[in-house]
Amino acid sequence: MKTLKIFTFIVACIIMTACGGSDEAGKVASKISSGEQLTQADYKVMIDYCGKYATEAQKIQDKINSLPVDSEESEKLNEEMATLADKYAYSTQFFDKITTCTQEEVGADNVALINKYAPLMWFSAPEWASIGGDVDVEGFIEDMPSTDTTGVISTGDGVAVGN
């Protein structure tokens, strides 16, 4: 009997922990659905939620990218990706808001948070977001002729680009 009580308590704790994280997300989703004004705290909840989704999805995507297209493992990972999308049910609704927000709406702290997640493939960031990285270009930009492309590499004029 004592074992049953302990087991029930553990299961209850697990359920409370699992539901606790999406409770805030659910409240924000309700605010969006009812057309209420969103606060910077609401945007933080959305960005964190979508950032967690994008981080987990990126791990799966990296595994998929390293496999041949027709791999059985690839099919399993695609199913795992679909399961992840189901787990993060609010991600589409939140990404719709995040991609159309302004920097003023979200606030400076959330702009930094968006910029943190923006480089991830599965994070839909607004146009103003910075994906980071240094632009270090070196090479030769070739002008393409408007009609004849047979002599492009050997005779085209271009500009050398250094870093």
Side-chain angles (χ1 to χ4, degrees), residues 33-148:
S33 297
S34 65
E36 292 180 43
Q37 182 72 28
L38 297 174
T39 65
Q40 290 182 4
D42 294 332
Y43 277 104
K44 180 171 181 2
V45 169
M46 290 189 298
I47 296 164
D48 283 336
Y49 183 90
C50 291
K52 288 176 186 174
Y53 165 74
T55 301
E56 289 185 40
Q58 188 67 49
K59 291 175 187 174
I60 297 169
Q61 187 66 51
D62 290 343
K63 292 176 185 176
I64 291 170
N65 291 346
S66 68
L67 297 171
V69 176
D70 57 350
S71 169
E72 289 180 29
E73 178 83 19
S74 180
E75 291 177 30
K76 291 176 187 173
L77 290 170
N78 284 327
E79 289 174 18
E80 193 175 325
M81 188 71 82
T83 302
L84 182 65
D86 291 340
K87 179 181 173 186
Y88 287 90
Y90 303 120
S91 61
T92 302
Q93 184 180 27
F94 289 174
F95 278 133
D96 286 345
K97 281 294 187 187
I98 292 170
T99 57
T100 59
C101 68
T102 64
Q103 293 181 24
E104 293 76 26
E105 284 177 288
V106 298
D109 290 341
N110 290 332
V111 167
L113 199 54
I114 286 173
N115 289 338
K116 172 185 168 187
Y117 293 121
L120 297 174
M121 178 179 182
W122 290 94
F123 189 87
S124 298
E127 288 183 22
W128 50 260
S130 171
I131 60 167
D134 295 330
V135 177
D136 189 17
V137 178
E138 187 172 328
F140 192 74
I141 299 174
E142 193 71 46
D143 289 336
M144 297 292 287
S146 60
T147 55
D148 180 24

